[in-house]
Amino acid sequence: TWGNRHIRARRSTDGGSSWGPEITITNPGFQGGGTTVDETTGDILAFVEENHPPANIFIYRSSDDGLTWKKESPTIRPDSQGHHPSMHMNDHGTTLRHGKYKGRLIRPTRFYAGKNDREKWPEHYTNAIYSDDHGKTWQTSEPFPENGTGEACLVELSDGSLYYNSRVHWQERPKNTRRREARSTDGGHTWKNFRIIDILPDGHQHRSYGCMGGLVRLPIDGQDILIFSNIDTPNATREQGTVWASFDGGKTWPVKRLILPGPSGYSALNAGRPGTPSEGYIYLHAETNNGSPGARFP
């Protein structure tokens, strides 16, 4: 899905080899980040905001694999500080599959502190929302353990814990051109074990502003193989779309590969589904100077 004036989607039924015509989800509307799949019901949830956040939030739900969409007005409860979240430019989230919180929908969100102005950045923080009733009501988590953050991604690990990876844009934070992480063992309500990930860049390294990245856990039972995407360049420009691999649930990132030479910016990742034409593939979607191409690789 995409769009900042009206929201559209395309579908592929052959694992990404080809894509069908544009489907209008809503017009007008402002992109609320990636879509979330309810693995229990098969529904797809697209979050849409009325305009650039903070703004009113709606969900558009598809129960026929993205062919048609229906508008809903979800209940989204604030966090413990009374702050309501925004969805904008956060990753797609997931359905939890293990342990006590199996079936829970969760996706990263952010608190804008009223507007996205530099003087407000010290009050910004990233967080998450989660739902135990298939997206009708949502609870906002406790804040991520660092202010000045936003645009995050998360995955569930094989033991049911959550790994959270975030952009930072506040220039007063230490090592402010590297990614941040935290973890949750309570289904995404609180975030602990904050760490700056020295090996993972957050945008180009000539300013403290960061760049939205992608994250996916490969669907391999009992293994926590994670793929992360961002840019990796010595130059003061957004270029060189790159992926990194972790084989231990994000503790280390020993492998990286250049996927998109040349201009590259915001990115998102996903993995193919077992038993479908997409099985075995990793999908990278990134912005460039020539639109927003996708890459598919085994």
Side-chain angles (χ1 to χ4, degrees):
T1 60
W2 75 96
N4 61 9
R5 292 182 177 86
H6 68 283
I7 309 302
R8 291 152 285 171
R10 289 186 188 270
R11 300 171 68 249
S12 174
T13 59
D14 56 11
S17 296
S18 62
W19 294 85
E22 287 187 10
I23 298 169
T24 295
I25 297 176
T26 180
N27 187 3
F30 194 89
Q31 167 75 301
T35 54
T36 301
V37 177
D38 185 336
E39 300 288 353
T40 304
T41 66
D43 288 353
I44 307 170
L45 281 61
F47 288 83
V48 176
E49 305 189 55
E50 283 188 333
N51 45 58
H52 192 287
N56 291 330
I57 298 169
F58 302 97
I59 286 177
Y60 285 79
R61 183 186 300 267
S62 176
S63 299
D64 56 8
D65 297 323
L67 284 170
T68 60
W69 300 81
K70 295 181 180 179
K71 182 179 180 180
E72 299 178 358
S73 297
T75 298
I76 302 177
R77 301 188 179 103
D79 66 14
S80 61
Q81 300 182 29
H83 296 155
H84 288 270
S86 294
M87 309 294 135
H88 181 50
M89 300 318 300
N90 284 282
D91 209 21
H92 45 74
T94 191
T95 303
L96 302 188
R97 301 180 185 225
H98 305 284
K100 178 180 178 180
Y101 304 101
K102 182 178 180 180
R104 171 173 288 182
L105 306 181
I106 185 166
R107 57 156 291 155
T109 52
R110 66 195 302 180
F111 173 60
Y112 261 114
K115 57 182 177 179
N116 189 26
D117 284 356
R118 183 177 293 270
E119 66 268 18
K120 286 290 187 179
W121 287 354
E123 301 174 48
H124 287 197
Y125 56 81
T126 192
N127 50 16
I129 57 171
Y130 56 86
S131 173
D132 293 317
D133 60 5
H134 305 291
K136 297 176 183 177
T137 59
W138 299 80
Q139 175 62 49
T140 305
S141 78
E142 293 298 298
F144 185 78
E146 183 182 38
N147 281 25
T149 48
E151 298 184 2
C153 37
L154 61 82
V155 293
E156 182 188 25
L157 302 181
S158 59
D159 64 358
S161 66
L162 297 177
Y163 174 79
Y164 196 108
N165 186 300
S166 180
R167 172 183 178 175
V168 63
H169 49 267
W170 182 21
Q171 69 276 6
E172 299 301 324
R173 300 307 303 155
K175 298 183 179 180
N176 51 33
T177 60
R178 313 309 282 181
R179 297 290 291 192
R180 283 41 190 154
E181 71 170 38
R183 297 172 188 264
S184 175
T185 56
D186 58 7
H189 183 65
T190 60
W191 306 99
K192 301 177 181 179
N193 301 322
F194 169 80
R195 181 172 75 106
I196 297 172
I197 315 167
D198 290 327
I199 199 170
L200 294 184
D202 191 14
H204 71 69
Q205 303 297 288
H206 296 263
R207 63 173 180 172
S208 56
Y209 191 62
C211 185
M212 178 185 172
L215 180 71
V216 66
R217 175 181 174 267
L218 302 189
I220 302 172
D221 289 343
Q223 298 188 46
D224 288 322
I225 301 174
L226 310 184
I227 308 296
F228 170 77
S229 62
N230 211 282
I231 61 173
D232 187 35
T233 174
N235 301 316
T237 187
R238 286 180 170 176
E239 62 181 9
Q240 306 291 80
T242 302
V243 297
W244 288 256
S246 172
F247 303 98
D248 53 13
K251 296 176 183 177
T252 61
W253 299 88
V255 175
K256 71 175 180 179
R257 295 289 184 269
L258 174 64
I259 304 297
L260 296 173
S264 185
Y266 281 25
S267 61
L269 283 165
N270 220 322
R273 292 173 172 271
T276 74
S278 67
E279 182 175 7
Y281 285 104
I282 301 168
Y283 295 86
L284 171 67
H285 193 201
E287 61 178 355
T288 70
N289 288 350
N290 297 310
S292 184
R296 182 181 69 168
F297 51 97

